[in-house]
Amino acid sequence: MSRKGVGIGAFDRSRLTSAHFASHGSSLRASNARALETQLAVFRSLLQQFAQTHAKDIRSDPSFRAQFARMCTAIGVDPLASSSSSGGGGSSIWAQLLGKTVNDFYFELAVRIVEICGATRGENGGLIGLPEVRDRLSRGRTESGAATISDDDVRRAVETLRPLGGGYSIVPVGHKEYIRSVPRDLSNDQAAAVEAAQVLGYVNVSMLRDNLAWEGARCRTVVDDLVAQGMLWIDKQTGGEWEYWSPIFMVDVDALSASVGD
């Protein structure tokens, strides 16, 4: 018994079915996108209401401010972006909440961070500890009643500088965070040497060779590069092998001594 071949009509029906499924899929995607957009609009509206209700806490409490910023990020709201489309007069959400009209809270911090980094670059080679910057920013603010500065505030302020170039960024070295204000990255070897210098405050070629299992030439290259960048200082008056001191460590020790003295 012969089998009947597939006719042209079957191909037409197949094409119609495929087109129907494609159209249905596009309709579902569009519907889901509209529903998601509506949900996000509701979230943004609730977030704005929350911000208005708790504006005082956001201004005064750095932990609360950080939590609010994370909520904004979670639903795709950039608190540092202009909100002119929502009647904010071109100011950011932060500017409205923190009482600023021209430069909002984080941009003001960013300007101060640039000043601090520029003033200390000759001492630290463009790598300054985040806690030191926070402490410098906080001086005098408590007495004047201004908002307390947190590490999270400093991180967000540095982030606002990224589009401007200039190399400003947060870099981790060991268990500490630093603000880099020079347009260059630390190599893995340089980062390891800087981290090692945080233990005793200094390193020398022998220490790097023995602890990191590097060749002598590699050790000397790393410390020479860091000295050239101002990130390590040479102590030639040791009576033996030269020591390469971290200016960041010395600043931390001075700050600790001052706090103990107080």
Side-chain angles (χ1 to χ4, degrees):
M1 181 177 178
S2 61
R3 299 178 61 184
K4 188 176 181 180
V6 178
I8 295 177
F11 286 110
D12 289 339
R13 286 193 297 274
S14 177
R15 283 196 295 269
L16 288 173
T17 301
S18 298
H20 175 73
F21 279 122
S23 175
H24 185 61
S26 298
S27 177
L28 283 176
R29 286 193 296 271
S31 177
N32 289 337
R34 287 193 297 270
L36 181 59
E37 185 176 349
T38 300
Q39 290 177 357
L40 287 176
V42 171
F43 287 150
R44 290 190 180 98
S45 176
L46 292 174
L47 184 66
Q48 186 175 11
Q49 294 177 23
F50 178 87
Q52 292 171 348
T53 302
H54 299 280
K56 181 178 179 180
D57 293 322
I58 293 173
R59 283 194 299 268
S60 60
D61 187 341
S63 298
F64 197 94
R65 187 163 57 244
Q67 291 290 344
F68 175 74
R70 280 191 279 272
M71 282 197 300
C72 290
T73 303
I75 64 171
V77 175
D78 183 358
L80 294 175
S82 171
S83 57
S84 57
S85 60
S86 59
S91 59
S92 71
I93 294 177
W94 288 124
Q96 298 171 42
L97 292 178
L98 301 176
K100 303 294 182 181
T101 56
V102 181
N103 293 325
D104 66 37
F105 177 72
Y106 284 105
F107 292 136
E108 180 183 331
L109 288 187
V111 171
R112 289 284 295 118
I113 289 171
V114 171
E115 293 174 350
I116 292 170
C117 289
T120 60
R121 192 170 295 141
E123 304 171 5
N124 53 44
L127 195 67
I128 183 172
L130 189 150
E132 181 186 349
V133 173
R134 180 204 61 218
D135 292 343
R136 286 173 178 259
L137 290 170
S138 298
R139 290 173 189 168
R141 294 184 66 89
T142 304
E143 292 80 359
S144 63
T148 304
I149 305 299
S150 69
D151 288 354
D152 187 78
D153 291 330
V154 176
R155 294 187 194 98
R156 294 182 185 279
V158 172
E159 187 65 25
T160 67
L161 296 170
R162 187 180 296 275
L164 303 179
Y168 287 91
S169 62
I170 303 292
V171 294
V173 178
H175 300 293
K176 292 188 63 176
E177 289 181 302
Y178 295 86
I179 297 175
R180 187 187 65 206
S181 60
V182 289
R184 59 173 175 262
D185 293 325
L186 288 176
S187 68
N188 291 336
D189 284 1
Q190 290 172 338
V194 170
E195 181 179 358
Q198 304 310 307
V199 179
L200 297 176
Y202 72 94
V203 292
N204 56 36
V205 171
S206 297
M207 290 169 60
L208 294 177
R209 184 182 62 239
D210 296 341
N211 289 279
L212 300 178
W214 290 352
E215 296 290 337
R218 181 179 180 182
C219 299
R220 284 188 290 273
T221 298
V222 170
V223 295
D224 287 346
D225 288 344
L226 290 172
V227 168
Q229 296 174 18
M231 295 183 184
L232 290 179
W233 292 351
I234 304 177
D235 181 4
K236 300 180 180 180
Q237 301 177 350
T238 60
E241 186 175 3
W242 290 357
E243 295 173 352
Y244 300 86
W245 283 82
S246 167
I248 301 171
F249 178 86
M250 290 187 281
V251 169
D252 291 343
V253 170
D254 289 342
L256 179 61
S257 300
S259 64
V260 172
D262 294 339

